[in-house]
Amino acid sequence: MTLKVYASLLLLFLVNSVWTRTVRQVYDELDPEHWSHYTSECPRECFCPPSFPNALYCDNKGLKEIPVIPARIWYLYLQNNLIETVSEKPFVNATHLRWINLNKNKITNNGIESGVLSKLKRLLYLFLEDNELEEVPAPLPVGLEQLRLARNKISRIPEGVFSNLENLTMLDLHHNSLLDSALQSDTFQGLNNLMQLNIAKNSLKKMPSSIPANTLQLFLDNNSIEVIPENYFSAIPKVTFLRLNYNKLSDDGIPPNGFNVSSILDLQLSHNQLTKIPPFNAHLEHLHLDHNRIKSVNGTQICPVSIAIAEDYGLYGNTPRLRYLRLDGNEIQPPIPLDIMICFRLLQAVVI
């Protein structure tokens, strides 16, 4: 299970390098005699490196509008400009675009021409972070794999905006203005292959409903969540990395076995209001509980298996897998209780 999870995450985070390597194979085969042709097509405001013929660098140029994009371009860099509108005209010939970076501009929803994004049929990566968006733009390219909308002013998600995005693996909405009312039971419907969902730094008071079942990473830090519903994680049986730091979780807000989930390997509950360590599964490897209100820790009570089993070296398969435990910022005084070490034989670091 662990190997499969890490393999999936490796695919998610290293996919960019795979694209780069593939494209560079094309560069190596490029005939230098064609370089002048590529340079003549290059918009005067931008940079077209001869050794990178599928890329167009228009970042940090003070641009107020998008220049006409040549047909050969796969990778378009427009970040750190003053662009307010995304219209169809610059993209008429750009039918091979895979990647668009429009981070740190001044784009609003009204500035995006209707249907312009969905017409980019081959687009896989769309970055619109640090703009002026108030809702998720729609419609979107159906083949999209990553959508990054962090640090906007998004408070609304149009109905059905994700319904056809079956290939989307990463959705980043962190640092926006989402309330609980913005996340309906069908908001994420259609995201059948989503692996990472980031809704940190919003204004949520409840756990979002109907998270896609294949989600591996769920980030909900810096909200105002107080309660974990009973059996919440049974609907997302593959969740591996769960971050709930900087919320308002108390002991009463966590069901008795709320985090006793075998798929969770990394659980982060830092900066909450817990006074005791909640029960967790023997498969858990990293546990962050720093800066809560915990006064003491009892290894016998928190051990996912009985201490008698933990002491038996012959039952290695039942040994709890916890390797990292963080408890600093509480009211716990060293030394580390001996029964902690007896239970968690694989423990490599404890921070108190």
Side-chain angles (χ1 to χ4, degrees), residues 22 30 54 59 79 94 102 109 111 139 158 198 203 212 237 261 266 313 316 324 328 340 347:
T22 302
L30 183 64
N54 296 106
D59 52 309
Q79 66 270 25
L102 278 161
N109 288 94
N198 191 342
S203 300
V261 181
D266 191 301
Y313 286 96
Y316 183 81
Y324 180 87
D328 56 304
I340 291 284
L347 200 59

Side-chain angles (χ1 to χ4, degrees), residues 156-186:
R156 181 175 177 271
I157 301 178
E159 184 177 356
V161 66
F162 303 128
S163 60
N164 294 320
L165 303 187
E166 294 185 359
N167 295 326
L168 199 71
T169 59
M170 176 189 287
L171 175 58
D172 191 345
L173 288 163
H174 89 270
H175 210 308
N176 277 286
S177 303
L178 292 170
L179 299 170
D180 296 318
S181 58
L183 304 180
Q184 302 298 316
S185 59
D186 60 350

Side-chain angles (χ1 to χ4, degrees), residues 37-225:
H37 169 67
Y38 291 128
T39 303
S40 65
E41 284 188 329
C42 187
R44 60 182 180 80
E45 309 95 328
C46 307
F47 173 58
C48 299
S51 60
F52 201 168
N54 296 106
L56 181 60
Y57 289 90
C58 307
D59 52 309
N60 296 288
K61 301 294 184 181
L63 300 179
K64 294 186 178 181
E65 57 184 36
I66 300 173
V68 175
I69 311 302
R72 72 176 189 274
I73 299 302
W74 286 21
Y75 301 91
L76 177 58
Y77 298 89
L78 288 161
Q79 66 270 25
N80 294 301
N81 280 295
L82 302 171
I83 297 169
E84 297 181 358
T85 60
V86 180
S87 60
E88 183 176 348
K89 184 178 179 180
F91 299 102
V92 169
N93 296 320
T95 57
H96 296 282
L97 277 174
R98 264 71 164 176
W99 173 303
I100 298 178
N101 189 334
L102 278 161
N103 292 345
K104 295 187 177 179
N105 278 283
K106 297 181 179 297
I107 299 168
T108 63
N109 288 94
N110 290 334
I112 301 177
E113 187 175 335
S114 178
V116 62
L117 296 176
S118 62
K119 291 178 180 178
L120 302 173
K121 303 295 186 182
R122 300 188 183 184
L123 195 66
L124 301 178
Y125 303 91
L126 178 58
F127 300 169
L128 280 164
E129 299 178 345
D130 295 285
N131 277 280
E132 304 292 330
L133 299 174
E134 295 183 352
E135 63 180 53
V136 175
L140 292 163
V142 295
L144 212 57
E145 293 183 4
Q146 290 191 17
L147 178 59
R148 305 195 186 202
L149 299 170
R151 294 178 299 277
N152 277 274
K153 302 175 181 178
I154 296 173
S155 61
R156 181 175 177 271
I157 301 178
E159 184 177 356
V161 66
F162 303 128
S163 60
N164 294 320
L165 303 187
E166 294 185 359
N167 295 326
L168 199 71
T169 59
M170 176 189 287
L171 175 58
D172 191 345
L173 288 163
H174 89 270
H175 210 308
N176 277 286
S177 303
L178 292 170
L179 299 170
D180 296 318
S181 58
L183 304 180
Q184 302 298 316
S185 59
D186 60 350
T187 295
F188 301 112
Q189 185 175 347
L191 299 179
N192 299 327
N193 290 296
L194 194 70
M195 296 171 65
Q196 183 186 105
L197 178 59
N198 191 342
I199 326 178
K201 291 191 176 182
N202 278 277
S203 300
L204 304 180
K205 294 183 178 180
K206 300 177 181 179
M207 295 289 286
S209 60
S210 300
I211 299 297
N214 287 319
T215 302
L216 296 175
Q217 299 182 324
L218 180 58
F219 302 151
L220 292 164
D221 315 77
N222 293 90
N223 281 285
S224 299
I225 297 171

Side-chain angles (χ1 to χ4, degrees), residues 299-300 303 305-313 319-320 336-347:
T300 302
C303 191
V305 300
S306 72
I307 289 292
I309 292 177
E311 285 184 292
D312 192 332
Y313 286 96
T319 300
I336 300 168
L338 179 60
D339 52 3
I340 291 284
M341 309 310 297
I342 292 174
C343 175
F344 302 107
R345 298 280 179 156
L346 303 180
L347 200 59

